[in-house]
Amino acid sequence: MESEFKVRTDLAVELEEDVKEEQGKSEGIRMERESICDGRIHVTKVIIENEQGERTMGKEKGTYITLESEELANTSEGYHREMSAALASYVSELLPPKKGRLKILVVGLGNRDATPDSLGPRVVDNICVTRLITEEIGNVNMVEKCKNYEVSAIIPGVLAQTGMESTEIVKGVTGEIEPDVVIAIDSLAARNTKRLNTTIQISDAGINPGSGVGNHRKGLTYDTIHIPVIAIGIPTVVDAATIVNDTFENLLNIFKMTKGLESINKVMSEFSPDEKYELVRELIEPSIASMYVTPKDVDATVKYISYTVSEGLNILWSNDI
Amino acid sequence: MESEFKVRTDLAVELEEDVKEEQGKSEGIRMERESICDGRIHVTKVIIENEQGERTMGKEKGTYITLESEELANTSEGYHREMSAALASYVSELLPPKKGRLKILVVGLGNRDATPDSLGPRVVDNICVTRLITEEIGNVNMVEKCKNYEVSAIIPGVLAQTGMESTEIVKGVTGEIEPDVVIAIDSLAARNTKRLNTTIQISDAGINPGSGVGNHRKGLTYDTIHIPVIAIGIPTVVDAATIVNDTFENLLNIFKMTKGLESINKVMSEFSPDEKYELVRELIEPSIASMYVTPKDVDATVKYISYTVSEGLNILWSNDI
Amino acid sequence: MESEFKVRTDLAVELEEDVKEEQGKSEGIRMERESICDGRIHVTKVIIENEQGERTMGKEKGTYITLESEELANTSEGYHREMSAALASYVSELLPPKKGRLKILVVGLGNRDATPDSLGPRVVDNICVTRLITEEIGNVNMVEKCKNYEVSAIIPGVLAQTGMESTEIVKGVTGEIEPDVVIAIDSLAARNTKRLNTTIQISDAGINPGSGVGNHRKGLTYDTIHIPVIAIGIPTVVDAATIVNDTFENLLNIFKMTKGLESINKVMSEFSPDEKYELVRELIEPSIASMYVTPKDVDATVKYISYTVSEGLNILWSNDI
Amino acid sequence: MESEFKVRTDLAVELEEDVKEEQGKSEGIRMERESICDGRIHVTKVIIENEQGERTMGKEKGTYITLESEELANTSEGYHREMSAALASYVSELLPPKKGRLKILVVGLGNRDATPDSLGPRVVDNICVTRLITEEIGNVNMVEKCKNYEVSAIIPGVLAQTGMESTEIVKGVTGEIEPDVVIAIDSLAARNTKRLNTTIQISDAGINPGSGVGNHRKGLTYDTIHIPVIAIGIPTVVDAATIVNDTFENLLNIFKMTKGLESINKVMSEFSPDEKYELVRELIEPSIASMYVTPKDVDATVKYISYTVSEGLNILWSNDI
């Protein structure tokens, strides 16, 4: 597939699949795979090592860890605990080293009022904060348990509600409280519907411009806020272009096998990339480009996955792995 | 367009557009159009008079009134009041005649936790109920003002949350409190993205099986609950098949004008309906069939439209038109 | 303490404390105590056996099981699991015996929008329903796991929102779906602030008129709906009268020990019960009588306790004790 | 009443009532009263002019405008519009003068999840922001209409949820976006239950430490954030101490008139202030001191009042008075 047809994805693991298909393009990109929990969780690490890798992948330098499991949206208690513990362990790998208490600011990106974009705010609703917590205010047992971590959290809202970029708000807050690291949780767009509600991506490259369901216009990265940013992203929507693209592919395949249309493949192969691009552009109605495509049961899956992520973070800081 | 290609719509006005395109098919169907509020609101009445009309439209006998305005999702106060008053007036036309107090049960269909399906519950959150309301419990001024209406309301939830069909719950409740009429509010699926957040449909045909964003498996109609049902529906999603269909149409049009593909139209016209059906069926991934397609700002528009509808109903029973 | 001074409580265990203090009044009342989980949970069973017991306690015949633990509002995962399992086990004791699948309707009483009264709706938000659930609609793994229970659930809302008594709605629904037992979850009023967020009461006597934070005007009992009702209640508010009463007691105690006021106790003891009653009635401002008194962190505790209860019920029907 | 018995209030108008009762104490305090809207809204301005006034009132220098109406929680549309317009007009008086666009940051203080403390967040949910809003993101008609104001908004959450003081978050954000003025909305505690849901206080003295339902530990004032702060406060709770105090007063009055207790007044008047203080301290259970006292219908009144305030602010910036 030519890059002209590449549709939007926030998942490095999806881009990596493309890259593999093309020869001689994986310089500066390293990939590792493993299975944990008796094969119930598949882990893929994509490490983009240099500018060459950045160009190939169209993603920033950094480590992208993907945890995949078909049962992520499953409601079984036992299973969730397993995934939460895995999340805690891999996030822990990416934390900056520090002597003494590590100061963490958790940022729940997205729109609380739009179900598929509400994952970040929901995670923050259920994490334990420890900074400034005294007996009068909250759970001091938890503060005691998390003595190596000073945790604070914010739900910045979205531009349409606040008139501010999330990055402006986070930058202002980090200027005041000076955390050592930001952990940002966000809903992502995937290219493949099979990724929805089965995948968690953890990355030390932060949140880059244009990514996320809300299409953040400014990035939330070390470059913008001068603090390391670990991003935890879960795909909850597919881009409308995914459907167009899948349809297009399916259609061409059918044409190939249809009496009277065998020639179409030959014709299409004569299209220049620009002509093909123009074709797809025409196919997508402008009104569709600003739409979500999301499963009908997104409310239930977002609820369960947000519990898994918040439990994972609580496990991390209570050293309860 | 042949019925094989008909995509799902809950809007009679959209079906009527198809019907018009085909000659000699409008027996049993009557249509009236008018503009009100200096042309800011367009009103279409489609009246399906008999079984012939039912077959042609694929909809139950009854009156379907569509209020359309591009500014429905606009936040201007003045505009909303205008639309609310229009809604009150047209719903009032469909109410059953009664001497004395009319007993109304308002039903907010849909899923509070899934933004595009939350319209019904949100409307009920903001309507004034008057049944059993005493000074100790609520607003008696409002009860006084609404003296011709005894209003109660319920949010039945959705099957995945309750394990019950909405119809089962509503039927049980109407058995207890015996209203004269049910007014059911629901989110709908439209065929055309331009209908989203611009259209309100009012009908005395109730909610029919398979309609609504939640795809109600049983209808909420006079036949199922033995009480007249007025349905107020607002399209907030388009079916994923809409995108497939639009893409397909666009593609065919482009093929017609593309060098080397002029013949495709001729080829397509030789397809039997069954072959065409097979083609579309193949094009739609099964995983996409159970998806919402909805605008990214659906949270804001659902909020404003729900205020418009609840204000319309409150105007109706406080005789404040 | 004379009954004239009795303040409102929904907890049998609090009434039982009074009864103990008075000699020869416990006919028809049986009490059992035990500690479980290494003494972390205290269990009290009060069994009201006959009309004599009903008169003494001012409560309906039935079994009232109280689970108490100071850590109920604690956020520790391990602790919650323990309490959830205990809840599952004691609710199980009260279920009616049945061959084959037991049909349960869970009812989340209370007002979702008023934090201390939102416990019932929040529990229902997180329980697994199994009735009518197919692969298309929800989690079939859970249905498989719960094969001995057919679970449905409803959040009826409160009179000020619906214009209907909860009992009317539940009666209508049970008429349609004919469950074997109703499990109703409700927020309660306690007399003692120490009970808040430390106590769960389970009873097969149902919900009686005037009980609950919302002061249900009609009961939800076998007598009203002709189906056994198990009530799960958690105290989240104290009645304003509790504060008046505590203040009054404290004041009298201080007066006894205050120079120049030693005689007041003697004077007070000469008051007739009617005079004392008049005194308390005067002390309570009418505007205060319709108020909640609730801890400032009620939002956090209601959230955690609702998880404990919903997990307990899910454990019950998945036989996962 | 001696200051030892003064109970907590956030309302200057309530303190002013005390001050009036004491002779020669109103130096540095100016008061103006007027009625508007045919006497339906009563306006009181208390202006604290200097340090003498600050000492007398126990409040910071500044203007405190109170709008009172018994119908504030009434659901009548017409009435609300009247109050909203009054609010717009009085807030407008306190805005700093500026040539060109005035940059406003609206801050919704309080806890979204605790009903009586949710007023600030609810107001922000319904105001129109205009900063950075383009056609792609939101309502550009509104931006056009509000061309003299650049509005942004934030809901900072509460310390127990974020681990941060609201002031830290607001200070960080104002450092980034540099508004000309902050408008902070907060739920307040009143001394008198009659103030609940009838009163709006507008002040240019900001939010001071210890005020608000959430007991802000740090102030949000010009001194802390170096930007003028206009506070809009609505009383939604009374302090538990109010009930103790009212009970105590009522009790003493009854004692005076009770046979055998006439002497108590004489005895009480011999108490030293310290002894009286000790008495009240004993009367209040420590567990009660951290409690809310709030009307049972607080969910409905908070909803309606939040609409009134958000509409008032939207009127202000759209110059639609």
Side-chain angles (χ1 to χ4, degrees):
Chain A
M1 190 187 291
E2 297 297 314
S3 62
E4 290 76 13
F5 280 94
K6 262 182 193 160
V7 291
R8 180 165 166 259
T9 177
D10 293 323
L11 293 172
V13 73
E14 291 194 328
L15 292 172
E16 203 280 334
E17 287 161 4
D18 291 349
V19 171
K20 275 194 308 180
E21 294 169 10
E22 304 173 61
Q23 291 295 19
K25 279 205 171 171
S26 32
E27 254 170 69
I29 300 168
R30 202 148 47 79
M31 201 190 72
E32 299 165 13
R33 286 186 198 276
E34 61 177 323
S35 277
I36 58 173
C37 301
D38 291 334
R40 284 188 298 277
I41 301 176
H42 302 281
V43 183
T44 310
K45 277 191 206 180
V46 177
I47 299 144
I48 303 180
E49 296 174 317
N50 54 30
E51 290 183 17
Q52 164 85 45
E54 289 189 335
R55 272 193 303 273
T56 308
M57 295 286 281
K59 291 242 166 255
E60 300 294 308
K61 241 185 333 190
T63 300
Y64 299 81
I65 301 169
T66 308
L67 309 182
E68 281 174 274
S69 168
E70 300 218 340
E71 297 170 83
L72 182 53
N74 197 319
T75 58
S76 159
E77 290 287 327
Y79 181 73
H80 271 271
R81 182 83 188 172
E82 216 168 70
M83 193 60 150
S84 297
L87 178 73
S89 165
Y90 286 102
V91 170
S92 162
E93 280 187 17
L94 300 182
L95 288 177
K98 197 194 174 188
K99 289 218 172 104
R101 262 186 131 193
L102 188 73
K103 293 162 71 179
I104 299 177
L105 174 66
V106 181
V107 177
L109 293 169
N111 182 351
R112 181 193 285 286
D113 297 330
T115 311
D117 200 20
S118 67
L119 202 126
R122 279 165 176 271
V123 168
V124 168
D125 280 348
N126 284 293
I127 64 157
C128 291
V129 298
T130 63
R131 185 176 180 269
L132 301 186
I133 301 300
T134 60
E135 190 159 4
E136 193 192 339
I137 288 161
N139 191 333
V140 285
N141 294 343
M142 200 62 195
V143 176
E144 182 58 31
K145 231 174 149 186
C146 307
K147 60 183 181 300
N148 295 322
Y149 296 91
E150 182 191 287
V151 181
S152 52
I154 193 165
I155 299 170
V158 294
L159 178 47
Q161 296 164 343
T162 65
M164 295 181 280
E165 306 278 358
S166 302
T167 301
E168 290 179 301
I169 296 172
V170 175
K171 194 174 175 186
V173 169
T174 54
E176 281 297 303
I177 68 164
E178 302 184 337
D180 300 311
V181 62
V182 164
I183 298 181
I185 296 104
D186 201 11
S187 303
L188 302 181
R191 186 170 61 191
N192 189 324
T193 57
K194 293 183 188 71
R195 296 273 179 214
L196 295 181
N197 307 317
T198 62
T199 303
I200 298 177
Q201 173 172 283
I202 307 161
S203 167
D204 59 6
I207 306 279
N208 286 284
S211 64
V213 168
N215 273 3
H216 308 293
R217 307 189 317 171
K218 290 187 177 181
L220 187 65
T221 61
Y222 186 85
D223 284 352
T224 51
I225 64 169
H226 310 305
I227 290 168
V229 179
I230 295 175
I232 300 177
I234 291 102
T236 61
V237 306
V238 290
D239 210 85
T242 289
I243 294 182
V244 173
N245 196 71
D246 290 0
T247 305
F248 190 76
E249 292 292 316
N250 290 344
L251 190 67
L252 289 181
N253 287 330
I254 288 164
F255 281 0
K256 285 190 225 173
M257 301 174 296
T258 305
K259 199 165 91 69
L261 290 175
E262 299 88 349
S263 66
I264 198 163
N265 203 37
K266 184 171 157 289
V267 175
M268 289 303 288
S269 68
E270 287 167 6
F271 273 40
S272 76
D274 278 354
E275 284 167 339
K276 274 190 191 163
Y277 176 83
E278 203 56 27
L279 181 57
V280 166
R281 214 182 53 77
E282 291 289 331
L283 289 172
I284 304 176
E285 299 275 340
S287 57
I288 290 170
S290 63
M291 291 198 169
Y292 283 133
V293 182
T294 196
K296 285 188 179 169
D297 61 352
V298 65
D299 58 310
T301 50
V302 162
K303 186 164 72 175
Y304 282 107
I305 295 175
S306 75
Y307 291 162
T308 301
V309 176
S310 56
E311 193 180 339
L313 294 176
N314 291 335
I315 287 172
L316 171 61
W317 31 85
S318 61
N319 292 305
D320 206 6
I321 303 188
Chain B
M1 190 186 290
E2 297 299 313
S3 61
E4 290 77 12
F5 280 93
K6 261 183 195 158
V7 291
R8 182 166 164 256
T9 176
D10 294 323
L11 292 174
V13 74
E14 290 194 328
L15 292 173
E16 202 280 333
E17 286 161 5
D18 290 350
V19 171
K20 275 193 308 180
E21 293 169 11
E22 305 174 60
Q23 290 295 17
K25 279 206 170 171
S26 32
E27 254 170 69
I29 300 168
R30 200 148 47 79
M31 203 190 71
E32 298 164 14
R33 286 186 197 276
E34 61 176 323
S35 277
I36 58 174
C37 300
D38 292 333
R40 284 188 297 277
I41 301 176
H42 303 282
V43 184
T44 310
K45 276 191 206 181
V46 177
I47 300 144
I48 303 180
E49 295 175 317
N50 53 30
E51 290 184 16
Q52 165 85 46
E54 288 188 337
R55 272 192 304 273
T56 308
M57 294 287 281
K59 290 242 168 258
E60 301 293 308
K61 242 186 329 193
T63 300
Y64 298 81
I65 302 169
T66 308
L67 309 182
E68 281 173 275
S69 168
E70 300 218 340
E71 296 170 86
L72 182 53
N74 199 320
T75 58
S76 159
E77 290 287 328
Y79 181 73
H80 272 271
R81 182 83 188 171
E82 217 168 69
M83 193 59 150
S84 297
L87 178 72
S89 165
Y90 286 102
V91 170
S92 163
E93 280 186 17
L94 299 182
L95 287 177
K98 198 196 174 185
K99 289 218 173 105
R101 261 184 133 194
L102 189 73
K103 293 161 70 178
I104 299 176
L105 173 66
V106 181
V107 177
L109 294 169
N111 182 350
R112 182 192 284 286
D113 297 329
T115 311
D117 199 20
S118 67
L119 203 127
R122 279 164 177 271
V123 168
V124 168
D125 280 348
N126 284 293
I127 64 157
C128 292
V129 299
T130 63
R131 184 175 180 271
L132 300 186
I133 301 300
T134 59
E135 189 158 5
E136 192 192 340
I137 288 160
N139 191 333
V140 285
N141 294 343
M142 199 62 195
V143 176
E144 183 58 31
K145 230 173 148 185
C146 306
K147 61 183 180 300
N148 295 324
Y149 296 90
E150 181 191 288
V151 181
S152 52
I154 193 166
I155 299 169
V158 294
L159 177 48
Q161 295 164 343
T162 65
M164 294 182 280
E165 305 278 357
S166 301
T167 301
E168 290 180 300
I169 296 172
V170 175
K171 193 174 175 187
V173 169
T174 54
E176 281 297 303
I177 68 163
E178 300 185 337
D180 300 311
V181 62
V182 163
I183 298 181
I185 296 104
D186 201 11
S187 303
L188 304 181
R191 187 170 61 190
N192 190 325
T193 58
K194 294 185 188 72
R195 296 275 178 212
L196 295 181
N197 308 317
T198 62
T199 304
I200 297 178
Q201 173 173 283
I202 307 161
S203 167
D204 59 6
I207 306 279
N208 286 284
S211 65
V213 168
N215 272 3
H216 308 293
R217 308 190 317 173
K218 291 187 177 181
L220 187 65
T221 61
Y222 187 85
D223 284 352
T224 52
I225 64 168
H226 310 304
I227 291 167
V229 179
I230 296 175
I232 300 177
I234 290 103
T236 60
V237 306
V238 289
D239 209 87
T242 289
I243 294 183
V244 174
N245 196 70
D246 289 0
T247 306
F248 190 76
E249 292 293 317
N250 290 344
L251 191 67
L252 288 182
N253 287 329
I254 288 164
F255 281 1
K256 285 188 226 173
M257 301 174 295
T258 305
K259 198 164 91 69
L261 291 174
E262 299 89 349
S263 65
I264 199 161
N265 204 36
K266 183 169 159 290
V267 174
M268 291 303 288
S269 69
E270 287 167 5
F271 270 41
S272 76
D274 278 355
E275 283 167 339
K276 273 191 192 163
Y277 177 81
E278 202 57 26
L279 181 57
V280 166
R281 212 181 56 75
E282 291 289 330
L283 289 172
I284 304 176
E285 298 275 341
S287 57
I288 289 170
S290 63
M291 291 198 168
Y292 284 134
V293 182
T294 197
K296 285 187 179 170
D297 61 353
V298 64
D299 59 309
T301 51
V302 162
K303 186 165 72 176
Y304 282 107
I305 294 175
S306 74
Y307 291 162
T308 301
V309 176
S310 56
E311 193 180 338
L313 294 175
N314 291 336
I315 287 172
L316 172 61
W317 31 86
S318 62
N319 292 305
D320 207 6
I321 303 190
Chain C
M1 190 187 290
E2 297 298 314
S3 62
E4 290 77 12
F5 279 93
K6 261 181 195 161
V7 292
R8 179 164 166 258
T9 177
D10 294 323
L11 292 173
V13 72
E14 290 193 328
L15 292 172
E16 203 281 332
E17 286 161 5
D18 290 350
V19 171
K20 274 194 308 179
E21 293 169 11
E22 304 173 60
Q23 291 295 17
K25 281 207 168 172
S26 32
E27 255 171 69
I29 300 167
R30 201 147 48 81
M31 202 190 72
E32 299 165 13
R33 284 185 200 278
E34 60 176 324
S35 277
I36 59 174
C37 301
D38 292 334
R40 284 187 298 277
I41 301 176
H42 302 280
V43 184
T44 311
K45 277 192 204 179
V46 177
I47 300 144
I48 304 181
E49 296 174 316
N50 54 31
E51 290 183 17
Q52 165 83 45
E54 289 189 337
R55 272 193 303 275
T56 307
M57 295 287 282
K59 290 240 167 259
E60 300 294 308
K61 243 186 331 193
T63 300
Y64 298 82
I65 301 169
T66 310
L67 309 182
E68 282 173 274
S69 167
E70 300 218 340
E71 295 169 86
L72 182 53
N74 198 320
T75 58
S76 160
E77 290 287 327
Y79 181 72
H80 271 270
R81 182 83 188 172
E82 217 168 68
M83 192 59 150
S84 297
L87 178 73
S89 165
Y90 286 101
V91 170
S92 163
E93 280 186 18
L94 300 182
L95 288 177
K98 197 193 174 187
K99 289 217 172 107
R101 262 186 132 194
L102 189 73
K103 292 162 70 178
I104 299 177
L105 174 66
V106 181
V107 177
L109 294 169
N111 182 351
R112 182 191 283 287
D113 297 330
T115 311
D117 199 20
S118 67
L119 202 126
R122 279 164 176 271
V123 169
V124 168
D125 280 348
N126 284 293
I127 65 157
C128 292
V129 298
T130 64
R131 184 175 180 269
L132 301 187
I133 301 301
T134 59
E135 190 158 3
E136 193 193 339
I137 288 159
N139 191 333
V140 286
N141 293 344
M142 199 63 196
V143 176
E144 182 58 31
K145 229 174 148 186
C146 307
K147 61 183 181 300
N148 295 323
Y149 296 91
E150 181 191 285
V151 181
S152 53
I154 193 165
I155 299 170
V158 295
L159 178 47
Q161 295 164 344
T162 65
M164 295 182 279
E165 306 278 358
S166 302
T167 301
E168 291 179 299
I169 296 171
V170 175
K171 194 174 174 186
V173 170
T174 55
E176 281 298 303
I177 68 164
E178 302 186 336
D180 300 311
V181 63
V182 163
I183 298 181
I185 296 104
D186 201 10
S187 303
L188 304 181
R191 187 170 61 191
N192 190 324
T193 57
K194 293 182 189 73
R195 295 275 178 211
L196 295 180
N197 307 318
T198 62
T199 304
I200 297 177
Q201 174 173 282
I202 307 161
S203 168
D204 59 6
I207 307 278
N208 286 284
S211 64
V213 167
N215 273 3
H216 309 294
R217 308 190 318 172
K218 291 186 175 180
L220 186 65
T221 61
Y222 187 85
D223 285 352
T224 51
I225 64 168
H226 310 304
I227 290 167
V229 179
I230 296 175
I232 300 176
I234 290 102
T236 61
V237 307
V238 290
D239 209 86
T242 289
I243 295 182
V244 173
N245 195 71
D246 289 0
T247 306
F248 190 76
E249 292 292 317
N250 290 344
L251 190 67
L252 288 182
N253 286 331
I254 288 164
F255 280 0
K256 284 190 225 174
M257 302 174 297
T258 306
K259 199 165 89 75
L261 289 175
E262 298 89 348
S263 65
I264 199 162
N265 204 35
K266 185 169 157 290
V267 174
M268 290 303 288
S269 68
E270 287 166 5
F271 272 40
S272 76
D274 279 355
E275 284 167 338
K276 274 189 191 163
Y277 177 82
E278 202 57 28
L279 182 55
V280 166
R281 214 181 52 76
E282 291 290 330
L283 289 172
I284 304 175
E285 298 274 341
S287 57
I288 291 170
S290 63
M291 289 198 170
Y292 283 133
V293 183
T294 197
K296 285 187 179 170
D297 61 353
V298 65
D299 59 309
T301 52
V302 161
K303 186 165 71 176
Y304 282 107
I305 294 175
S306 75
Y307 291 162
T308 301
V309 175
S310 57
E311 193 181 338
L313 294 175
N314 291 336
I315 287 171
L316 171 61
W317 31 86
S318 62
N319 292 304
D320 206 7
I321 302 189
Chain D
M1 190 187 290
E2 297 297 315
S3 63
E4 290 77 12
F5 280 93
K6 262 182 194 159
V7 291
R8 179 164 166 259
T9 177
D10 294 323
L11 292 173
V13 73
E14 290 194 328
L15 293 171
E16 202 280 333
E17 287 160 4
D18 290 349
V19 171
K20 274 194 309 180
E21 293 169 10
E22 305 174 59
Q23 291 296 17
K25 281 206 171 171
S26 33
E27 254 169 69
I29 300 168
R30 201 147 48 79
M31 202 191 72
E32 298 165 14
R33 285 186 200 277
E34 61 176 324
S35 278
I36 59 173
C37 301
D38 292 334
R40 283 188 299 277
I41 300 175
H42 303 280
V43 184
T44 310
K45 277 191 204 179
V46 178
I47 299 144
I48 304 180
E49 296 174 316
N50 54 30
E51 289 183 15
Q52 165 84 46
E54 289 189 336
R55 273 192 302 273
T56 308
M57 294 287 282
K59 290 240 167 258
E60 300 294 308
K61 245 189 325 195
T63 300
Y64 298 81
I65 301 169
T66 309
L67 310 182
E68 282 173 273
S69 168
E70 300 218 340
E71 295 169 85
L72 182 52
N74 198 320
T75 58
S76 159
E77 289 289 326
Y79 181 72
H80 271 271
R81 182 83 188 170
E82 216 169 68
M83 192 60 149
S84 296
L87 178 73
S89 165
Y90 286 101
V91 170
S92 163
E93 279 187 20
L94 300 182
L95 288 176
K98 197 195 174 185
K99 288 220 172 103
R101 260 183 134 196
L102 189 73
K103 292 161 71 177
I104 299 177
L105 174 66
V106 181
V107 178
L109 294 169
N111 182 351
R112 182 192 283 286
D113 296 330
T115 312
D117 199 20
S118 67
L119 203 126
R122 279 166 177 271
V123 168
V124 168
D125 280 347
N126 284 292
I127 64 158
C128 291
V129 298
T130 63
R131 184 175 181 270
L132 301 186
I133 300 301
T134 59
E135 189 158 4
E136 192 193 340
I137 288 160
N139 191 333
V140 286
N141 294 345
M142 199 64 195
V143 176
E144 183 58 31
K145 229 174 150 187
C146 306
K147 60 183 180 302
N148 296 323
Y149 297 90
E150 182 191 287
V151 181
S152 52
I154 193 166
I155 299 171
V158 295
L159 178 46
Q161 296 164 344
T162 64
M164 295 181 279
E165 306 278 357
S166 301
T167 301
E168 290 179 300
I169 296 172
V170 175
K171 194 175 174 186
V173 170
T174 55
E176 281 298 304
I177 68 164
E178 301 186 336
D180 301 310
V181 62
V182 163
I183 298 181
I185 296 104
D186 201 11
S187 303
L188 303 181
R191 187 170 60 191
N192 190 324
T193 57
K194 293 182 188 73
R195 294 275 178 212
L196 295 180
N197 307 318
T198 62
T199 304
I200 297 177
Q201 173 173 282
I202 307 160
S203 168
D204 60 5
I207 307 278
N208 285 284
S211 65
V213 167
N215 273 3
H216 308 293
R217 307 189 319 172
K218 290 187 177 180
L220 187 64
T221 62
Y222 187 85
D223 284 352
T224 52
I225 64 168
H226 310 303
I227 291 167
V229 179
I230 296 176
I232 300 177
I234 291 102
T236 60
V237 306
V238 290
D239 208 85
T242 289
I243 294 182
V244 173
N245 196 70
D246 290 359
T247 306
F248 189 76
E249 291 292 316
N250 290 344
L251 191 67
L252 288 181
N253 286 332
I254 288 163
F255 280 1
K256 284 190 227 174
M257 301 175 296
T258 304
K259 198 164 91 68
L261 290 175
E262 298 89 348
S263 65
I264 198 162
N265 205 34
K266 185 170 156 290
V267 175
M268 290 304 287
S269 67
E270 287 166 5
F271 272 39
S272 77
D274 279 356
E275 285 167 336
K276 274 190 190 162
Y277 177 82
E278 202 57 26
L279 182 56
V280 166
R281 215 181 53 77
E282 292 289 330
L283 290 173
I284 304 176
E285 299 274 340
S287 56
I288 290 170
S290 63
M291 289 198 170
Y292 284 135
V293 183
T294 196
K296 286 188 178 169
D297 61 352
V298 64
D299 59 309
T301 51
V302 162
K303 185 165 72 176
Y304 282 107
I305 294 175
S306 75
Y307 290 162
T308 301
V309 176
S310 56
E311 193 181 337
L313 294 176
N314 290 337
I315 287 171
L316 172 60
W317 32 86
S318 62
N319 292 304
D320 206 7
I321 302 188

